[in-house]
C-alpha cells in the first residue's frame, strides 16, 4: 500500500513496521491540563493518540480541540468523529478545521446511542452513517470536492480509519462488513478489544482469504484488565464484548493486589501472539483511565523504541 | 396506521378544568384500531372525567360524539352546529385530527386527549410497534423490506453498528436490531450479496428536514 498522506502512522505501517496507537478521553470540563497530562505518559511509546468523541454519549471537551492540544505538543492525533451529533455540514466543516491544524488521521464511527450518556432526552442526528463518513472524507481528500459538489480550496490530507468489532453479531457479516468499510474508503481498522483470540484469528484468516488484509491495515485492539471485577463487567455489561471464561478464571486465580499486574501480563501476551498473525499490522492499546501502563505494555511486547520515519 | 396512546387523566384534567361544557370527540379510524380514541374510549374517558369532576365538586358537562374521521372536512362539518354549544373540544384523534379541528373551528379551544406516537402495526392485541417514519422516499427495496429509518435506533443505512448483540439493539434487550432483521431477511431471500452494496447518503429533503411537506395529485383535483 502506497503512502497517500503526511500521517506518521500511515508511513510507519507502510514501511512494514507495526503501528502503535493508544487513546485519551477528553475531560468532563474545560481543564486544559488533562489532555497534555494523559498524553505525557504515552507520547514516546506510540505513533499516534486517538481522541474520543463524547464516548458513551457523555458530554466532554470536543475531540477536535483536544486533538489540537496534542498537535501543539508535538504529538500526532487521531481525530475520532461520530455521526451521532453532527450533520453533513458540521462534519465536513470539522474535517476542514482539523486539516487546517495539520491533523492527518481520522477515525469514522457511528457513535454510542445517546441513551447511554448524560443527555438521554436529546435528539440524535445520524444524517449520515460511519460508512458514508468514510466516503465523505475520501471524496474531500481524493477529489477535492464537497458533498454538495463544490470544489475545495485545499484538500484535507487524512489517513482514514474505521472501527470493526470482530465479535459483534451477526457473525456471518463480520468479514463482508469489513469489505464494505474498505470499499467505503477505510485505510486502517482499529478493532474492538480482543480477549477471544481464537475468534479474532478466525476473522483475520477469513479477511486474508478475501485479500482484504492487503487493502487495509488492521490494528488489533487490546485493553489491559485492572481486576477480575472489570473482566466480569466487560463480559456481562458491555455490548459486543467477548471475554472467554478462561480469562476470568485466570484473573480470579491471582490475589487481588496482583490482578492488575496479571492484566498487564495478559495484554502483553496477547500482543505477542497477535504479532505472529499475518494481516495484523499494528496495535491499538486502549488503557482506559490507565494511560500510565501503556509504556510497560509497549516495552513488554517488544514494540519499543518506536520507529522513526520522515 | 397512526398509533396513539391516551394521555394520563391528570394531564387531560389540567387542560380542561377551567371550562364547564366540553365536547369529547372520538375518531373511527386509526385511533379506534389502536384503542386510544374510538367510540369505546370516548365513553370510558367521558365517565372517568365526569366522576373526577363530581368528586372534586365541580359542575362539568361532558358530551360525547365520534366522527368517521377528523382529518377530513366532510366529517368535521357534521359538528359545526353542535360544537357551538361547548366551551371547548377535547379530541381523541391523532395530532392531525386535533389540528384540523382547530383550523376549522378557529375560535374554539381544542385540546389533545392522546399522544400521537408513530406509524405502526398491531403485532397482537394490545401491542403496537413502529414500522415507518414517513421519510418521503422509501428504501425498503434495498433493505429486504425492513425499514432502518424507523427501526434502527441510529437509522443507519449501512448497519449494523458494533452494539448489535444476540439480535438485539444496543439501546435495549427488548428491541430487535433492525440490521439483524435485515440480514436474516436478505439471507432468506438469497440476496446476501446485496449486503455489501454501499447505500448512498440519504436525501433527507423529503423527510421532515425539508420543512412541512405536501402531496399534490393534480389529476384528481377539482
Ligand atoms: S424507508 Fe421511509 S417511507 Fe419507507 S418505511 Fe422507512 S421511513 Fe417509511
Ligand atoms: S444495534 Fe442494530 S438497531 Fe440498534 S443502533 Fe445498532 S444497528 Fe441500529
Amino acid at each position: 500500500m502506497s503512502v497517500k498522506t503526511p500521517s506518521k502512522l500511515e508511513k510507519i505501517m507502510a514501511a512494514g513496521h507495526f503501528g502503535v496507537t493508544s487513546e485519551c478521553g477528553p475531560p468532563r470540563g474545560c481543564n486544559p491540563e488533562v489532555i497534555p497530562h494523559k498524553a505525557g505518559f504515552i507520547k514516546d511509546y506510540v505513533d499516534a493518540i486517538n481522541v474520543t468523541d463524547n464516548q458513551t454519549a457523555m458530554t466532554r471537551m470536543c475531540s477536535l480541540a483536544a486533538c489540537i492540544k496534542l498537535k501543539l505538543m508535538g504529538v500526532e492525533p487521531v481525530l475520532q468523529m461520530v455521526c451521532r451529533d453532527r450533520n453533513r455540514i458540521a462534519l465536513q466543516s470539522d474535517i476542514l478545521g482539523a486539516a487546517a491544524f495539520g491533523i492527518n488521521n481520522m477515525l469514522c464511527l457511528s457513535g454510542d446511542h445517546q441513551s447511554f450518556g448524560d443527555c438521554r432526552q436529546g435528539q440524535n442526528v445520524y444524517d449520515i452513517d460511519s460508512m458514508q463518513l468514510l466516503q465523505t472524507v475520501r471524496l474531500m481528500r481524493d477529489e477535492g470536492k464537497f458533498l454538495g459538489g463544490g470544489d475545495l480550496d485545499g484538500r484535507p490530507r487524512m489517513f482514514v480509519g474505521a472501527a470493526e468489532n470482530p465479535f459483534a453479531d451477526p457473525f456471518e457479516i463480520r468479514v463482508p462488513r469489513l469489505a464494505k468499510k474498505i470499499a467505503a474508503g477505510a485505510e486502517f481498522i482499529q478493532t474492538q478489544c480482543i480477549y477471544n483470540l481464537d475468534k479474532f484469528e478466525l476473522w483475520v484468516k477469513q479477511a486474508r482469504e478475501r485479500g482484504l488484509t492487503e487493502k487495509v491495515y488492521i490494528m488489533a485492539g487490546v485493553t489491559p484488565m485492572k481486576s477480575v471485577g472489570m473482566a466480569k463487567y466487560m463480559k456481562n455489561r458491555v455490548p459486543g464484548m467477548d471475554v472467554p471464561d478462561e480469562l476470568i478464571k485466570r484473573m480470579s486465580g491471582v490475589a487481588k493486589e496482583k490482578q492488575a499486574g496479571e492484566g498487564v501480563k495478559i495484554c502483553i501476551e496477547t500482543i505477542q501472539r497477535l504479532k505472529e498473525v499475518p494481516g495484523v499490522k499494528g496495535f491499538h492499546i486502549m488503557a482506559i483511565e490507565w494511560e500510565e501502563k501503556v509504556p510497560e505494555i509497549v516495552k513488554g511486547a517488544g514494540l519499543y523504541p518506536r520507529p522513526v520515519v520522515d | 396506521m397512526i398509533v396513539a396512546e391516551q394521555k394520563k387523566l391528570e394531564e387531560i384534567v389540567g387542560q380542561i378544568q377551567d371550562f364547564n361544557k366540553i365536547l369529547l370527540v372520538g375518531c373511527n379510524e386509526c385511533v379506534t384500531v389502536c384503542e386510544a380514541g374510538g367510540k369505546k374510549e370516548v365513553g370510558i374517558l367521558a365517565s372517568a372525567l365526569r366522576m373526577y369532576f363530581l368528586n372534586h365538586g365541580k359542575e362539568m358537562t361532558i358530551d360525547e360524539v365520534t366522527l368517521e374521521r377528523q382529518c377530513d372536512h366532510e366529517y368535521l362539518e357534521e359538528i359545526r352546529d353542535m360544537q357551538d354549544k361547548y366551551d371547548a373540544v377535547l379530541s381523541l384523534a391523532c395530532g392531525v385530527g386535533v389540528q384540523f379541528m382547530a383550523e376549522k373551528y378557529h375560535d374554539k379551544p381544542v385540546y389533545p386527549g392522546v399522544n400521537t406516537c408513530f406509524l405502526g402495526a398491531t403485532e397482537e392485541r394490545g401491542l403496537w410497534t413502529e414500522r415507518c417514519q414517513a421519510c418521503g422516499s422509501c428504501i425498503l427495496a434495498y433493505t429486504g423490506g425492513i425499514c432502518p429509518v424507523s427501526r434502527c435506533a441510529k437509522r443507519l443505512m449501512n448497519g449494523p453498528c458494533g452494539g448489535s448483540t444476540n439480535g438485539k439493539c444496543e439501546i435495549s434487550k427488548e428491541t430487535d436490531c433492525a440490521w439483524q432483521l435485515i440480514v436474516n431477511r436478505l439471507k432468506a431471500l438469497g440476496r446476501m450479496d446485496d449486503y455489501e452494496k454501499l447505500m448512498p447518503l440519504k436525501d433527507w429533503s423529503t423527510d421532515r428536514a425539508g420543512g412541512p411537506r405536501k402531496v399534490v395529485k393534480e389529476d384528481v383535483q377539482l
Side-chain angles (χ1 to χ4, degrees):
Chain A
M1 288 174 264
S2 62
V3 174
K4 298 187 196 72
T5 74
S7 157
K8 181 170 87 179
L9 180 62
E10 181 182 17
K11 286 178 190 160
I12 284 176
M13 291 195 286
H17 307 291
F18 285 112
V20 179
T21 52
S22 186
E23 73 185 36
C24 279
R28 296 258 296 151
C30 55
N31 182 345
E33 302 308 325
V34 174
I35 284 284
H37 176 77
K38 285 184 175 176
F41 294 116
I42 50 183
K43 66 178 176 46
D44 298 329
Y45 298 86
V46 298
D47 308 317
I49 300 178
N50 283 42
V51 180
T52 50
D53 182 4
N54 297 298
Q55 78 268 25
T56 64
M58 290 295 276
T59 317
R60 290 168 182 274
M61 178 189 289
C62 80
S63 170
L64 176 52
C67 281
I68 293 169
K69 273 257 162 214
L70 287 182
K71 189 75 195 179
L72 294 177
M73 62 188 277
V75 178
E76 177 151 317
V78 178
L79 174 69
Q80 293 198 181
M81 270 193 159
V82 303
C83 299
R84 177 190 60 226
D85 310 320
R86 280 161 292 189
N87 71 359
R88 60 189 86 179
I89 302 174
L91 289 166
Q92 292 178 91
S93 144
D94 281 357
I95 292 165
L96 296 178
F101 278 94
I103 293 166
N104 297 116
N105 306 291
M106 244 187 87
L107 190 75
C108 303
L109 306 165
S110 50
D112 300 312
H113 192 265
Q114 74 275 12
S115 58
F116 290 100
D118 61 352
C119 289
R120 304 176 58 89
Q121 299 188 333
Q123 273 282 12
N124 58 37
V125 178
Y126 292 114
D127 177 13
I128 66 177
D129 64 22
S130 61
M131 300 252 188
Q132 296 165 339
L133 180 56
L134 288 165
Q135 291 179 299
T136 303
V137 193
R138 291 296 298 267
L139 174 82
M140 294 171 81
R141 183 189 86 187
D142 299 342
E143 327 229 337
K145 294 273 189 206
F146 282 108
L147 286 172
D151 292 321
L152 284 171
D153 174 12
R155 301 179 178 197
R157 300 172 71 196
M158 294 285 180
F159 181 42
V160 195
E164 248 317 293
N165 182 357
F167 311 105
D169 294 316
F171 186 70
E172 64 267 42
I173 59 148
R174 296 335 303 180
V175 173
R177 185 156 175 75
L178 176 65
K180 207 168 166 180
K181 286 204 167 162
I182 296 169
E187 296 165 313
F188 69 96
I189 296 287
Q190 291 174 328
T191 75
Q192 170 72 289
C193 321
I194 301 158
Y195 299 107
N196 186 339
L197 277 72
D198 295 338
K199 197 162 178 187
F200 175 76
E201 286 174 355
L202 174 66
W203 176 74
V204 180
K205 179 172 165 271
Q206 290 173 347
R208 218 164 45 224
E209 285 164 2
R210 279 193 57 173
L212 300 177
T213 50
E214 299 305 308
K215 296 183 184 152
V216 74
Y217 300 103
I218 293 178
M219 303 186 75
V222 291
T223 291
M225 305 271 197
K226 276 185 185 167
S227 63
V228 68
M230 173 172 167
K232 285 185 182 157
Y233 179 83
M234 295 260 227
K235 181 182 177 72
N236 300 322
R237 292 294 172 81
V238 182
M241 192 75 80
D242 185 340
V243 184
D245 289 330
E246 316 80 273
L247 209 104
I248 308 236
K249 227 187 268 160
R250 180 168 163 190
M251 287 292 282
S252 1
V254 296
K256 208 165 176 65
E257 64 283 2
K258 296 228 170 96
Q259 284 177 359
E262 192 68 12
V264 169
K265 213 166 129 207
I266 294 171
C267 186
I268 291 171
E269 289 170 17
T270 301
I271 298 178
Q272 275 165 340
R273 176 166 154 189
L274 296 182
K275 276 166 91 175
E276 306 302 322
V277 176
V280 172
K281 304 285 169 55
F283 295 92
H284 181 51
I285 306 167
M286 295 165 273
I288 304 150
E289 299 301 322
W290 211 20
E291 288 82 6
E292 64 272 23
K293 283 288 163 190
V294 171
E296 188 182 332
I297 295 169
V298 174
K299 281 196 253 174
L303 294 167
Y304 187 80
R306 299 306 309 141
V308 180
V309 288
D310 44 44
Chain B
M1 66 171 157
I2 295 176
V3 178
E5 188 176 33
Q6 213 171 87
K7 284 183 179 283
K8 293 232 161 25
L9 191 72
E10 305 81 75
E11 188 182 348
I12 296 177
V13 165
Q15 295 180 138
I16 60 168
Q17 61 192 356
D18 295 336
F19 302 106
N20 299 312
K21 276 192 90 177
I22 297 290
L23 182 61
L24 177 53
V25 190
C27 177
N28 253 339
E29 296 282 352
C30 310
V31 288
T32 297
V33 183
C34 65
E35 306 189 44
K39 192 163 186 213
K40 185 182 78 189
E41 292 73 32
V42 165
I44 298 169
L45 178 63
S47 308
L49 287 170
R50 283 182 205 119
M51 184 81 81
Y52 177 92
F53 288 112
L54 189 71
N55 288 342
H56 286 75
K58 178 175 164 87
E59 193 134 330
M60 178 72 103
T61 305
I62 308 230
D63 289 334
E64 307 165 28
V65 61
T66 296
L67 303 179
E68 199 48 42
R69 272 200 288 284
Q70 290 189 37
C71 54
D72 216 316
H73 285 297
E74 184 187 337
Y75 300 108
L76 270 187
E77 275 302 332
E78 289 174 2
I79 54 164
R80 178 165 293 282
D81 296 336
M82 193 177 181
Q83 54 86 32
D84 237 5
K85 305 187 189 80
Y86 295 86
D87 303 334
V89 169
L90 175 61
S91 164
L92 292 193
C94 70
V96 180
V98 177
Q99 291 183 65
F100 224 42
M101 177 89 73
E103 285 167 37
K104 186 168 275 302
Y105 303 118
H106 203 60
D107 51 4
K108 181 69 54 193
V110 177
Y111 295 95
V114 303
N115 291 318
T116 304
C117 301
F118 50 78
L119 305 182
T122 312
E123 274 201 35
E124 54 189 72
R125 179 90 198 267
L127 175 65
W128 295 272
T129 50
E130 182 165 18
R131 289 291 184 279
C132 175
Q133 283 183 358
C135 74
S137 94
C138 194
I139 54 165
L140 288 175
Y142 311 105
T143 55
I146 289 156
C147 168
V149 178
S150 56
R151 302 187 68 187
C152 165
K154 302 176 187 170
R155 61 181 194 188
L156 303 179
M157 294 294 122
N158 297 283
C161 71
S164 179
T165 308
N166 298 322
K168 299 295 170 186
C169 173
E170 71 172 29
I171 62 161
S172 144
K173 288 194 168 65
E174 315 284 294
T175 308
D176 289 332
C177 167
W179 275 95
Q180 174 80 56
L181 299 177
I182 292 171
V183 167
N184 293 349
R185 178 98 166 121
L186 290 176
K187 239 191 297 176
L189 296 172
R191 275 178 42 201
M192 270 308 280
D193 287 352
D194 279 6
Y195 175 75
E196 285 193 37
K197 291 183 188 147
L198 276 164
M199 279 260 257
L201 278 71
K202 188 155 168 58
D203 175 358
W204 294 110
S205 67
T206 58
D207 185 69
R208 61 146 285 282
R213 297 169 276 180
K214 78 167 80 151
V215 172
V216 183
K217 194 166 182 211
E218 281 175 4
D219 56 337
V220 299
Q221 286 181 326
L222 297 175

